[in-house]
Amino acid sequence: MYMRFSSLLGAGLVLLATATQAFAGATLERVESRKEMVNVLMESYPPFSFLNDHNQLDGYDVDVAKAVADKLGVKLRLETPSWDVIAAGRWSGRYDICICSMTPSKARAEVFDFPVEYYASPAVIVVNASDERIHDAKDLEGRKVGSISASSYESYLNKNLVIEGKEDQKIDYPFDFVQAAPYDTENVAFQDLGLGTGVRLDAIITNLVTAQPRLQQDKRFKLAGAPLYEEPNAVAIEKGDPEWDAKVREVFAELKADGTLAKLSQKWIGADISK
């Protein structure tokens, strides 16, 4: 009886190990068998991802995703659900990877793994050019401030942002309360801010790189104060797939070593912000 129990236990452990291995490599196996990698990102987040004049997705994140797919020898398919769907995770195999400018927050680490931080840029305050009230973060007190829904910027406004892997980074919240106004896309947020000081919005919190083209091309906007905090942006994958995690790390190490990331960064940003 003891020996039979041991045999059954051993067989069970083998099955468990086999199932674990199958789960561990599920995404990589799916990508290799379908010869396709599905990357999820935002449709309107220039210069990282946006629709160009030919109504095709373009930008830094798009080109990085293409480079990753090329290294893997597979086709690239891009999907653009709303950011709150992307950031919620639990994709159930619908998407393989998010090369989509995601900040690795503590909350997101519960559902995602972050194999690689591939660029960094500070978070900043943008206001209407006619605004003389907001000069830094403390002046956001009681104001209505826009950000992408479910973003790290919204977490900042709610005073609960913890960046995964950088828990020792001190983030200052020099305000007691800010009225956070979430938007599906920054385009709409900037349209509202462009209507005038305090008409619909008082300010927007966003990425400096995202803000720069708008500031250069549209004189209705300006920066207010110094950057708020340094924001790493990472590749996100479904949690618990070590083989896919290792493959993503390997590919990005190659893209870093051969200068691809730096080249794409210079192309879209005008500077090397790759990590």
Side-chain angles (χ1 to χ4, degrees), residues 85-145:
V85 171
I86 295 173
R90 308 191 192 284
W91 298 334
S92 301
R94 288 175 295 169
Y95 318 122
D96 302 316
I97 195 168
C98 166
I99 302 171
C100 63
S101 300
M102 183 181 287
T103 299
S105 71
K106 197 71 173 176
R108 289 173 181 163
E110 295 178 6
V111 293
F112 291 112
D113 285 327
F114 300 102
V116 179
E117 290 181 12
Y118 68 110
Y119 80 87
S121 180
V124 295
I125 303 169
V126 180
V127 298
N128 191 282
S130 64
D131 195 308
E132 297 299 333
R133 308 161 307 160
I134 300 173
H135 303 284
D136 53 34
K138 72 176 185 299
D139 296 328
L140 297 178
E141 178 67 39
R143 308 291 187 189
K144 188 174 183 180
V145 182

Side-chain angles (χ1 to χ4, degrees), residues 68-89:
V68 171
D70 286 345
K71 287 285 186 184
L72 293 171
V74 300
K75 295 179 181 178
L76 174 66
R77 177 155 60 92
L78 300 171
E79 296 286 347
T80 57
S82 63
W83 179 254
D84 54 352
V85 171
I86 295 173

Side-chain angles (χ1 to χ4, degrees), residues 177-194:
F177 170 76
V178 171
Q179 184 181 351
Y183 285 80
D184 287 338
T185 72
E186 282 197 340
N187 281 347
V188 179
F190 273 94
Q191 286 171 12
D192 283 354
L193 186 63

Side-chain angles (χ1 to χ4, degrees), residues 3 5 13 24 39 47 54 69 80 94 105 114 122 135 146 152 159 171 179 184-186 200 202 205 217 238 272 275:
M3 290 188 63
F5 175 77
L13 289 173
N39 183 59
H54 302 287
T80 57
R94 288 175 295 169
S105 71
F114 300 102
H135 303 284
S152 57
K159 302 171 65 174
I171 298 177
Q179 184 181 351
D184 287 338
T185 72
E186 282 197 340
R200 289 189 180 172
D202 295 300
I205 303 294
Q217 299 165 15
E238 289 184 287
D272 185 6
K275 292 178 69 67

Side-chain angles (χ1 to χ4, degrees), residues 195-245:
L195 294 175
T197 302
V199 175
R200 289 189 180 172
L201 281 180
D202 295 300
I204 292 173
I205 303 294
T206 187
N207 187 304
L208 176 60
V209 176
T210 302
Q212 281 177 331
R214 300 182 190 272
L215 294 167
Q216 293 166 358
Q217 299 165 15
D218 195 328
K219 299 306 179 184
R220 292 178 300 167
F221 308 116
K222 66 181 180 181
L223 291 178
L228 302 172
Y229 55 91
E230 182 72 11
E231 183 179 46
N233 288 269
V235 175
I237 61 175
E238 289 184 287
K239 198 169 186 66
D241 196 332
E243 290 186 18
W244 183 228
D245 186 292

